Amino acid sequence: MTIAVIHGGGRPNGNTETLTKLVTQNLSVEEVYLKKYFIKPIIDKRHAEEGFPEINDDYNSIIDRILKHEIIIFSTPIYWYSMTATMKKFIDRWSQTLRDKNYPHFKEQMKQKKAFVIAVGGDNPYIKGLPMIQQFQHIFDFIGIQFEGYIIGDANRTDEVTKDPRAVSTAKNLRDTLQTYL
C-alpha cells in the first residue's frame, strides 16, 4: 500500500505538519502541499444541463496524484473549529470530479482508500475539534472512503505540539499501524 499526505496548512513547518511528519517518519509518502497549488473554488453546476465547465487550475493534477495511493492522510490545522479553507476548497471540488467524464470511476476509486485525519489547534481542540472530525466522517461516508482514525493535537505556537504527550503518543501509534499496511 502507498500513502499520500494532503497538507492543508498555510504555515511552513506548522504544528500540524510537525505532527504529520512524526506519523510519516521513515515511511515512503507522497506529500501534496495544497498551498503550493492554484485551486479555484467550485462553481456549483450540479443541476445545470451543461454540467461543470473545465477549469484551468491545478486541481486535477492533485487528484491524479492521490488516486494512485491506497491510504490518504488529510493533515489540516483547526481554523475556526474546522478544516482550513484550502482543504475545504479542495474537497468541495470533489462534487465536480464526481461528474467529470475524465474521472468516470472517481467514487469507486475513492471507495478503495483508507483515510486518516491529523489536526492541530488551540482552544481545547480535543473537544472543539470533534465536529471537524465528524465533518470528515460524513465526507468519507458519502464518498465511500474507509475512515481509519484521527489524531488531534493541542498547540498554538510553532513546535508546541511536540509538548502534547497525547498527540505524540497517538502519532507514534499511527506510524506503527501504517507500517503494518506497507
Side-chain angles (χ1 to χ4, degrees):
M1 293 192 140
T2 59
I3 302 170
V5 177
I6 302 171
H7 292 278
R11 181 176 18 163
N13 303 310
N15 283 298
T16 308
E17 184 177 346
T18 297
L19 189 60
T20 302
K21 296 280 188 187
L22 184 58
V23 169
T24 62
Q25 182 179 13
N26 298 322
L27 299 176
S28 177
V29 299
E30 180 169 2
E31 296 182 282
V32 177
Y33 289 86
L34 293 176
K35 68 183 176 189
K36 294 182 178 181
Y37 294 91
F38 176 59
I39 303 172
K40 289 183 179 179
I42 191 165
I43 298 170
D44 190 351
K45 296 283 192 166
R46 288 176 292 156
H47 306 293
E49 190 174 314
E50 72 276 9
F52 289 94
E54 280 293 317
I55 296 177
N56 186 19
D57 66 1
D58 298 323
Y59 170 79
N60 284 347
S61 69
I62 298 168
I63 290 297
D64 292 339
R65 289 174 66 187
I66 68 166
L67 284 175
K68 295 185 269 183
H69 300 282
E70 294 85 13
I71 298 171
I72 304 172
I73 298 173
F74 294 82
S75 174
T76 180
I78 303 171
Y79 284 178
W80 291 99
Y81 312 101
S82 188
M83 66 184 79
T84 63
T86 306
M87 182 71 77
K88 182 69 168 72
K89 184 168 41 171
F90 172 72
I91 292 172
D92 282 349
R93 289 284 296 280
W94 290 6
S95 293
Q96 181 176 350
T97 309
L98 285 167
R99 290 161 179 81
D100 189 331
K101 65 182 180 329
N102 296 316
Y103 298 94
H105 306 292
F106 178 68
K107 194 167 186 177
E108 291 76 22
Q109 289 174 292
M110 294 300 276
K111 285 180 181 179
Q112 304 305 310
K113 312 224 178 285
K114 298 179 185 309
F116 296 88
V117 175
I118 300 174
V120 179
D123 192 23
N124 197 11
Y126 285 105
I127 299 299
K128 294 180 179 180
L130 290 177
M132 182 196 69
I133 298 300
Q134 188 176 37
Q135 180 183 24
F136 272 107
Q137 176 71 67
H138 292 311
I139 291 165
F140 299 153
D141 286 348
F142 178 81
I143 205 79
I145 296 173
Q146 298 171 55
F147 190 17
E148 296 291 312
Y150 66 91
I151 301 172
I152 292 177
D154 186 357
N156 281 306
R157 300 216 179 271
T158 303
D159 287 331
E160 264 186 2
V161 75
T162 60
K163 297 176 181 108
D164 178 351
R166 182 173 169 184
V168 170
S169 174
T170 307
K172 290 177 181 176
N173 289 338
L174 178 52
R175 182 178 59 228
D176 292 344
T177 297
L178 290 172
Q179 287 175 331
T180 66
Y181 289 130
L182 305 178

